Amino acid sequence: MKVSVPIFIILMGILIFVSHATTVPWNNNPIDQSVDTLASDTAVTFNNPGEALPALDTYEVATKDAWIDLKRPSTGETQRAHVLIRYPKNADSANEDNNATNKLPGVVFMHGAGYGTADNSFGDVAEDLSSAGFVTATVDKPVWSTNDITRDYPGSAHAYGQVVDYLRSMDMVDPHKVGLYATSESTWISPYLVRDDGDIAFQILLSPMVQTPRHALGFFVAQDFAIVGANPGYQSIVRRVFSADTAKFGLDNFDFNPMIAEGYAIPTFVAYGSKDVMTAQVDGVRDIELMAHRSGNWKVTVRNYPVANHVMRLGDEAEEGTPLVDRYERDMVDWAVGTSRGLQETSASIAGTTIYQSIAVPTNLYAHPKLTVYGVGVHVAAVVTLLIAFVMALIALERKIRYMIRGQGPALGFVRGYQRVLITISATTLATLLLFFAGIGQIVWRVVTLIWGAAPESPGMIYWSWYAIQVVCALVVWAWSRVFCQLLETASQKGLLRTPDEWRADFEIKRLTGKPVLRIRGVHTGPVVASTRLGVTLFVATTLAMFCVLLVFAFWGLFVY
C-alpha cells in the first residue's frame, strides 16, 4: 500500500496534466442575447401606386429540363448537372418578341449541406416563386469529387454562376433581374457569387450561417450539446474538436471566410425560425447588417418565424412532407416580387417573433497545431497498440487452447495471477471505452433528432455516463498502480532492482568468473511476469494499449471535468 499510493498519485498526475494541457479556452458570454423585432406581423408590403403586384399562385407553372457541364476551376473537373426550369405558363409566347419590358425576373437556388438534386430540392418554394411570375432554376448540387469535408466553396460559387448565366441567356428572363435563394451551407458560397458576378439583383437567405465554418459549427454543436442535456464534460469535447488544425491534413474549409461585405451589397431577405438550433441568429443579424451597411446597402429585411426549424419547416424534418411555416412562402414571394420591381418597402425591416441566441459565437476559437499533432498521435498510438494487443491475445488464446487439448501445461506461464489481473483490467478499460463511445453516440443522435425538429428528452445516460467513466478510470488507474507495485516487489525479490554502480560491479564479476552474478549471490532469477516470451509480450502489449486508452480519455478531458 505504501508503494501503491505514490504510483497511483504519479499516474493520476500524468493523466490530470494531460487533461489540463489539452483544455481549450471557450467563452460563452454574452449569453441569452436577443433582438426585439419592430412588428409581430411578418407580412412584407411595398409602396406601389400602380397596378396590383402578382402574388403567390397568380400563374400556372410549367417546367422544362436543361443540362449544364458545371466546371470546377481549381481542377478543371466537370459535372454534368440537371437543371429544372420552372416558369409561368405562356411566358415563352409572351416574350417571343424579345421585348425587354416583358421579360421576367429569375431566381437560382443554392443547396445546403448534403447532396441535393434539381428534382428533390426546393420544389415548393421554386413553384411558389414561379407562380408569382419568376423563372426559377434548381440544379444538381455541384460536388465533383469532393465530399462534405472537402467541399470546394469558391468552385461552387463559380458553378452556380454558370446557372445564373444560363438563366440570363433565356429569352424570357431579364438578365439584370436574376436573384439567389441560398440556404444554410450555401450562404457561405453566395457572398462570393454576389461579389464576383457584380449583377445579382437580390438574394433570399434562409437560416444563413454567416461566420466561418469553425465558428458557426462550433456554436451550433456547443449549443445543441447543452440543449439535449449533455454533461459539461462531453461539451468540453466540442472545444477540442473545433480547435483542430485541419489545414495540416489539407482540409482548409474549417477557416473558410464567408464574411465578405460585398456579398451583402444587394437587397437581402433573411429568414430565421425560432426552433432553429443551428444558427447564431443574433450575431448573424448583426454581422449581416454591418456588412450590408459597409457596402452601402440598407435594404435588409429580416423575418423570424415562430415554431419553424432550420429549413423553415414545421415539425420533425425526418418525416416526409413537413410543411413550410405559416406565412413564410407568402412573405418571401411578396418580398421578391416587390424588390425585383425596385419598389420601396413599407413594412418593418425586422419583424416576427423575438430573435434569440443562447450563447455567443466562439470567435476566439482558432486552430491549435501542437494540440492537433498530439491528439492525432495519441489516438493513432491507441489504435495501433490495441490492434497489436488484440492480435497477441488471439495468438495467446490459440496457444492456450492447443496446450489444453494436448495437456502440455501452462501455455503462457503467468506468475502470481497476472493473467487474471490482466484480463480484469483490460476488460474494465475496454468496457469504459465502449461506454464513452455509447455516450457520444447517444448525444449525436439526440442532436440529429433535435435538428429535425424533435423535442429534447430527459438527458439520462448522456449526463451520468461521464461521471461513471471517471469513477471507473480512477479504479483502473488504482488497479494498474497495484500491478506496478507488484512488479517492483517481484523485481526487487529477484535482485533486478539495482543501482547503475551495482550493475557495473556485477558485470565485472561476471567477466572475471564467467558465471551469472545473481547465482553467485544466491538469488533465484525466476520469471517476473511470465515464464514464456509470449506471456511477457502479451502483458507488455496490453499494458501499453490500456495506458494509451487512458491517455485518450485524458485528451478529451475525463480527468478534469
Side-chain angles (χ1 to χ4, degrees):
M1 180 66 73
K2 291 183 179 179
V3 179
S4 299
V5 172
I7 294 176
F8 173 77
I9 292 174
I10 291 172
L11 290 175
M12 287 296 292
I14 293 172
L15 297 171
I16 292 172
F17 171 78
V18 171
S19 286
H20 274 289
T22 58
T23 298
V24 177
W26 187 299
N27 186 7
N28 286 336
N29 292 320
I31 62 174
D32 297 330
Q33 302 177 75
S34 63
V35 173
D36 291 330
T37 55
L38 302 177
S40 59
D41 185 2
T42 60
V44 178
T45 58
F46 289 88
N47 181 15
N48 181 35
E51 62 185 50
L53 299 175
L56 190 69
D57 297 329
T58 299
Y59 305 104
E60 291 186 30
V61 177
T63 63
K64 64 171 62 177
D65 296 305
W67 294 88
I68 299 178
D69 289 324
L70 301 179
K71 184 177 181 180
R72 185 184 182 191
S74 61
T75 62
E77 293 177 79
T78 58
Q79 174 183 327
R80 188 68 171 169
H82 174 215
V83 181
L84 180 59
I85 304 295
R86 293 179 175 86
Y87 59 94
K89 275 189 177 181
N90 302 322
D92 279 329
S93 58
N95 289 282
E96 284 179 354
D97 59 357
N98 205 27
N99 187 340
T101 59
N102 294 328
K103 289 181 178 291
L104 302 173
V107 177
V108 172
F109 288 83
M110 302 174 65
H111 295 274
Y115 294 84
T117 68
D119 299 296
N120 67 9
S121 304
F122 305 112
D124 43 11
V125 285
E127 188 89 7
D128 291 338
L129 284 165
S130 293
S131 74
F134 288 83
V135 181
T136 63
T138 59
V139 61
D140 295 343
K141 182 173 179 174
V143 294
W144 303 287
S145 59
T146 67
N147 54 46
D148 287 330
I149 299 176
T150 62
R151 198 72 75 217
D152 184 349
Y153 293 139
S156 297
H158 179 270
Y160 285 117
Q162 289 183 252
V163 184
V164 170
D165 290 338
Y166 176 81
L167 206 59
R168 286 171 175 158
S169 70
M170 298 179 66
D171 290 339
M172 69 180 82
V173 176
D174 186 335
H176 301 296
K177 292 185 177 181
V178 175
L180 303 177
Y181 186 109
T183 176
S184 191
E185 183 189 45
S186 63
T187 59
W188 288 330
I189 303 169
S190 55
Y192 283 78
L193 176 52
V194 172
R195 182 195 65 182
D196 296 342
D197 183 282
D199 196 27
I200 300 295
F202 57 88
Q203 60 182 343
I204 299 166
L205 305 181
L206 180 65
S207 303
M209 302 298 280
V210 186
Q211 294 83 17
T212 68
R214 182 186 301 278
H215 297 150
L217 296 178
F219 164 85
F220 132 58
V221 177
Q223 174 181 251
D224 286 12
F225 269 41
I227 292 174
V228 300
N231 188 287
Y234 285 118
Q235 295 177 39
S236 71
I237 293 176
V238 179
R239 307 173 189 178
R240 290 164 169 81
V241 170
F242 286 97
S243 63
D245 186 8
T246 56
K248 285 187 173 294
F249 310 101
L251 304 175
D252 300 321
N253 279 350
F254 233 20
D255 293 305
F256 177 77
N257 181 23
M259 299 183 71
I260 301 174
E262 297 89 339
Y264 298 90
I266 60 176
T268 301
F269 182 87
V270 179
Y272 288 116
S274 61
K275 284 190 67 178
D276 178 5
V277 294
M278 296 180 64
T279 53
Q281 299 181 3
V282 173
D283 283 331
V285 169
R286 180 174 60 245
D287 290 340
I288 288 174
E289 290 191 334
L290 284 174
M291 288 186 286
H293 297 168
R294 192 180 305 159
S295 300
N297 172 37
W298 295 83
K299 295 181 179 181
V300 177
T301 301
V302 180
R303 292 294 183 266
N304 191 38
Y305 296 90
V307 196
N309 61 16
H310 184 65
V311 289
M312 213 54 62
R313 304 279 175 176
L314 296 170
D316 192 338
E317 184 62 14
E319 299 177 1
E320 294 185 4
T322 52
L324 287 159
V325 67
D326 296 341
R327 285 218 56 94
Y328 167 69
E329 293 172 90
R330 189 170 301 279
D331 295 341
M332 177 268 296
V333 168
D334 289 345
W335 181 88
V337 169
T339 300
S340 64
R341 285 162 170 72
L343 301 177
Q344 181 65 40
E345 185 176 351
T346 55
S347 52
S349 58
I350 302 180
T353 189
T354 299
I355 301 172
Y356 174 79
Q357 182 177 317
S358 62
I359 61 175
V361 173
T363 53
N364 62 332
L365 194 62
Y366 60 91
H368 290 67
K370 294 180 181 178
L371 180 62
T372 303
V373 171
Y374 172 76
V376 171
V378 75
H379 283 76
V380 169
V383 171
V384 171
T385 53
L386 281 171
L387 288 175
I388 293 174
F390 179 71
V391 171
M392 295 303 302
L394 290 179
I395 295 173
L397 179 62
E398 183 275 333
R399 182 172 179 176
K400 190 174 183 67
I401 293 173
R402 180 159 44 86
Y403 271 46
M404 290 174 63
I405 294 174
R406 297 178 180 177
Q408 292 180 261
L412 303 175
F414 278 110
V415 175
R416 294 190 179 187
Y418 278 117
Q419 176 175 298
R420 176 180 55 80
V421 173
L422 191 64
I423 292 174
T424 302
I425 296 178
S426 299
T428 306
T429 305
L430 293 178
T432 306
L433 185 62
L434 290 176
L435 181 60
F436 179 74
F437 285 146
I440 295 294
Q442 182 76 354
I443 293 171
V444 171
W445 176 246
R446 294 278 188 90
V447 169
V448 170
T449 57
L450 184 71
I451 293 170
W452 285 343
E457 303 175 23
S458 176
M461 189 191 80
I462 63 177
Y463 192 84
W464 61 256
S465 60
W466 184 267
Y467 298 126
I469 295 170
Q470 287 183 313
V471 171
V472 176
C473 282
L475 293 176
V476 169
V477 174
W478 172 252
W480 278 118
S481 69
R482 295 287 294 170
V483 172
F484 291 148
C485 179
Q486 184 65 43
L487 287 172
L488 293 174
E489 182 180 347
T490 305
S492 177
Q493 292 174 355
K494 304 297 183 182
L496 299 177
L497 295 182
R498 308 178 63 76
T499 65
D501 290 338
E502 288 175 326
W503 279 112
R504 281 192 290 270
D506 289 344
F507 283 126
E508 182 64 21
I509 293 172
K510 181 178 180 180
R511 185 181 67 80
L512 295 174
T513 63
K515 297 180 180 181
V517 176
L518 297 179
R519 187 174 300 171
I520 293 174
R521 297 176 181 273
V523 178
H524 176 64
T525 56
V528 176
V529 175
S531 58
T532 65
R533 291 182 179 178
L534 180 57
V536 173
T537 304
L538 177 62
F539 183 86
V540 172
T542 305
T543 301
L544 287 175
M546 296 306 105
F547 185 70
C548 285
V549 171
L550 291 176
L551 287 177
V552 168
F553 286 150
F555 175 82
W556 294 114
L558 270 157
F559 292 89
V560 173
Y561 296 96

